[in-house]
Amino acid sequence: AATKRKPDGPAGRPKKRAKRAPSAAEPNAKPGPEGAGQAEYSIPPPVSQGKWKNKERVLIFSSRGINFRTRHLMQDLRTLMPHSKADTKMDRKDQLFVINEACEMKNCNKCIFFEAKKKQDLYMWLSNAPQGPSAKFLVQNVHTLAELKMTGNCLRGSRPLLSFDPTFDKEPHYALLKELFIQIFSTPRYHPKSQPFVDHVFTFTITDERIWFRNYQIIEEDASLVEIGPRFVLNLIKIFQGSFGGATLYENPHYQSPNMHRRLIRLSVAAKFREKQQVKEVQKIKKKGSKVLIGEDPTEVVFETPAEEKPVEIQLVKPESKPIVKDKKKPRKIQRKKQKKLFRTEA
């Protein structure tokens, strides 16, 4: 019978030895337990590991009632941001300040929250929990990674470059949003889940009073770019002093709510329909109205020339009747027809 092996017994496994013995000049050399000149050495750490000072963690989650496109967009952002964390969907009946407690439980100091309303409108909250500030956006023109099928590709977990429009430095509210974007979307240096490479760019461009987000891959050293995705447009609504609430620091005067936009579309369609109905009623009134009789036109006889009067002649004698000329060829034609009929019957 096989004897049980004991770790401390003579039959136990021998301890692993170092592959090579370091020289005496190495400071990390430690004498082995056997004291036979063997020493263990430490393997140097990888390049990406270092002092992780900027411990930014972003909580990315949503409310209930989002559609498939929003869910895919949220998953794409989690993939592109290795310093992000996920959480379960929040009930729509809960207040927004509850998110601060969720961030504290997840040990996150930044938050991206997707709020869905009426199953068709999507709002995005960017917040610095729990002190603030926070910004609320309306998300439009959403296209995900799987939907675009772009040719670009980047390493998973690599750190991005952030490119901002020059307008961000001209307006104070845009400067605040720029700092918020930098703290949320930039991957901290020496993050455990990040890679020590920079191979893609996040661009934030301001056009038509909206912020356009794009993601590009750097394929050459001469800064030639290929789009990766996802892409979406942020329409700023308000900037609050606190996290998910507080005093309003800025309100966008150019913002138009989706409800108002849909209402204006319905009103324009209704106005066109009313205009058509009014035109039809006017045409019916014209048809039913009595025709106005116009008096005699004095200019009608301008081009009429009087005809010469001829004397009336009364004929007292009956005119002579014309002589009746008989057609001599007619009886011959009748006779030929009779012969043809007889021939056909005999045949």
Side-chain angles (χ1 to χ4, degrees), residues 184-241:
I184 290 177
F185 288 97
S186 61
T187 303
R189 191 179 181 187
Y190 299 125
H191 192 277
K193 294 183 180 180
S194 66
Q195 299 293 336
F197 304 100
V198 178
D199 58 352
H200 63 287
V201 185
F202 290 161
T203 62
F204 298 89
T205 310
I206 298 175
T207 306
D208 194 19
E209 304 296 335
R210 291 170 175 82
I211 300 173
W212 300 66
F213 175 85
R214 296 290 184 270
N215 182 20
Y216 296 97
Q217 178 196 1
I218 306 172
I219 56 175
E220 296 292 342
E221 295 182 357
D222 58 350
S224 58
L225 304 176
V226 176
E227 187 173 357
I228 305 172
R231 57 165 66 172
F232 52 88
V233 180
L234 299 177
N235 191 0
L236 178 63
I237 302 175
K238 285 183 180 180
I239 300 176
F240 300 96
Q241 184 177 1

Side-chain angles (χ1 to χ4, degrees), residues 54 56 110 126-128 132-133 162 164 168-169 171-186 204:
N54 180 19
E56 295 283 351
K110 298 292 186 295
L126 300 179
S127 173
N128 181 19
L162 300 185
F164 291 93
F168 278 97
D169 298 328
E171 300 291 336
H173 60 280
Y174 283 139
L176 177 61
L177 290 178
K178 179 181 178 180
E179 184 63 28
L180 197 61
F181 288 148
I182 290 173
Q183 294 183 13
I184 290 177
F185 288 97
S186 61
F204 298 89

Side-chain angles (χ1 to χ4, degrees), residues 106-123:
K106 289 285 185 178
N107 195 17
C108 296
N109 51 4
K110 298 292 186 295
C111 180
I112 299 178
F113 177 67
F114 292 94
E115 184 181 8
K117 291 184 178 180
K118 295 186 177 181
K119 295 184 179 180
Q120 55 183 345
D121 301 330
L122 178 63
Y123 298 91

Side-chain angles (χ1 to χ4, degrees), residues 154-173:
C154 65
L155 184 67
R156 185 186 180 93
S158 60
R159 301 178 64 218
L161 293 175
L162 300 185
S163 174
F164 291 93
D165 193 271
T167 315
F168 278 97
D169 298 328
K170 297 179 181 178
E171 300 291 336
H173 60 280

